[in-house]
Amino acid sequence: MKTLYLLLPFLIFFTPANADCSSRGLSVFPGSSTVCQNAVFMLEGYGESQAIVNNLNTQYPVYLKAGSKKVKLIVLEICEGEFWLTQAILKPESELEADVRYTLHIDSLPESENFGHYSSGSYSPYTYMAVAKKDVEKPVLKSPPKEIRKTYMQYGCGPAVNVVFSMNTEDDSPVFVRTTVKNIQTGKSTVYYLVAYDSELYVGHSMCSGAFKFSGGDTFEVTFSLMDACGNATPWNGKTIHFTGPTPENSQQE
C-alpha cells in the first residue's frame, strides 16, 4: 500500500508570472500514465469549459480509444463548485484491456478549447496504459482529519482563501476526497472531489477558481468520504467538523 499526493486541480488555471487567470480549461485526473483495468477518471472544467462538462455525452461525446476500438465513458456524477469549476466522475462502460494504451477523446470541442497535457507551448493527448490489475480495495483514512490552519492571500485578481485539513490516506490508487461543505448560516451544501497534497487538503479556492467560497464570519461544517481512482469508496463515519471562514485577521500567509 502507498500514499499518493496530487496537486490541487484548480492551481493549473493561475499564471504566477503575470498574476492573471485564463478564461477556460479542461484537466483530467489521475495524472499518471498508467491505470488499472477498472479505472475511473475525473474531468474538470474551468470557466467557459464548465459547459463542456455539463454536456458530456449529449453535445460532447467522451470516450477512450485504442486503435479502432472505443470505450464510452459513463458520467457517474457531476459536481458544481462555487467558483468557476465543475467536474464529472467518469467510468468506462466496459473493463479496459490489459497492456493496451488508450487515448482520452472528447468530440465536437470548440476550436478555442485546448485539451491535453500542456508542455513547452503545446498540448499532447491524455494517454493511459492499462496494466493487468484490478484495484478492489477501499481507500483507508489513517487518522481523523483536523483543521491545521487557515490561509488568506491577496493577489491581483482577488484572494486565495483556504482552510487546510490534515488528510492522511492510503491506497494502491490515487485518492479523491469527496468533500461536503455546508454553510450553517444559509443552509447551502456544496459537494466537490478534491485531492490531497503532502497529507494536506486545501478546502476553498485560489485567486482564479475553486470548489468552495467562504464568507468571513460565517460558520461551516464539513465531512470527507474517500473514493480511489478505481471507484472504491469509503464513506465518512466520523463526527461533522465545524470551522469558521478564513479572514485576513485569522489566517496565516504561505
Side-chain angles (χ1 to χ4, degrees):
M1 303 288 281
K2 58 184 178 180
T3 303
L4 296 106
Y5 307 118
L6 301 173
L7 289 176
L8 297 170
F10 50 78
L11 290 182
I12 66 172
F13 305 116
F14 170 54
T15 307
N18 55 15
D20 201 3
C21 299
S22 62
S23 62
R24 64 191 312 131
L26 291 169
S27 59
V28 179
F29 297 89
S32 58
S33 59
T34 60
V35 294
C36 294
Q37 292 177 265
N38 59 335
V40 298
F41 301 86
M42 180 180 75
L43 175 68
E44 185 170 69
Y46 160 72
E48 297 174 19
S49 301
Q50 293 176 97
I52 295 170
V53 177
N54 281 315
N55 290 282
L56 291 172
N57 290 333
T58 53
Q59 188 175 352
Y60 305 103
V62 58
Y63 56 92
L64 295 169
K65 187 175 182 180
S68 60
K69 183 176 181 179
K70 292 183 179 181
V71 181
K72 181 179 179 180
L73 292 175
I74 307 299
V75 178
L76 297 181
E77 185 177 8
I78 290 181
C79 298
E80 184 176 349
E82 295 186 285
F83 187 20
W84 285 73
L85 284 185
T86 299
Q87 64 185 185
I89 304 299
L90 306 171
K91 179 180 180 180
E93 66 175 352
S94 60
E95 188 176 280
L96 303 182
E97 296 182 21
D99 302 319
V100 172
R101 186 176 300 278
Y102 293 87
T103 301
L104 180 58
H105 290 265
I106 303 177
D107 287 348
S108 304
L109 288 176
E111 291 185 4
S112 57
E113 194 70 59
N114 295 305
F115 182 55
H117 292 287
Y118 181 79
S119 178
S120 302
S122 62
Y123 291 86
S124 58
Y126 289 104
T127 59
Y128 302 93
M129 174 64 73
V131 299
K133 177 183 178 181
K134 301 175 190 176
D135 181 1
V136 296
E137 298 293 330
K138 295 182 178 181
V140 175
L141 186 61
K142 298 179 68 176
S143 58
K146 62 180 181 179
E147 181 180 333
I148 300 174
R149 63 187 178 276
K150 306 179 199 291
T151 66
Y152 189 109
M153 300 181 67
Q154 188 66 47
Y155 293 107
C157 292
V161 180
N162 286 281
V163 181
V164 185
F165 292 90
S166 61
M167 189 58 58
N168 190 4
T169 63
E170 187 175 66
D171 196 74
D172 283 336
S173 301
V175 175
F176 307 121
V177 183
R178 192 177 189 274
T179 305
T180 303
V181 174
K182 180 179 179 180
N183 185 312
I184 301 300
Q185 276 65 42
T186 66
K188 179 184 178 182
S189 291
T190 301
V191 177
Y192 210 81
Y193 287 84
L194 303 176
V195 290
Y197 173 69
D198 203 17
S199 295
E200 294 186 346
L201 190 74
Y202 281 64
V203 179
H205 64 83
S206 70
M207 179 185 78
C208 302
S209 62
F212 305 100
K213 294 186 75 174
F214 301 123
S215 298
D218 283 359
T219 55
F220 303 83
E221 60 183 27
V222 63
T223 59
F224 305 104
S225 57
L226 307 179
M227 185 183 76
D228 68 18
C230 290
N232 303 302
T234 301
W236 174 258
N237 61 4
K239 294 182 179 179
T240 300
I241 301 174
H242 290 80
F243 65 94
T244 57
T247 66
E249 293 73 28
N250 67 12
S251 302
Q252 66 183 68
Q253 299 294 314
E254 290 197 325

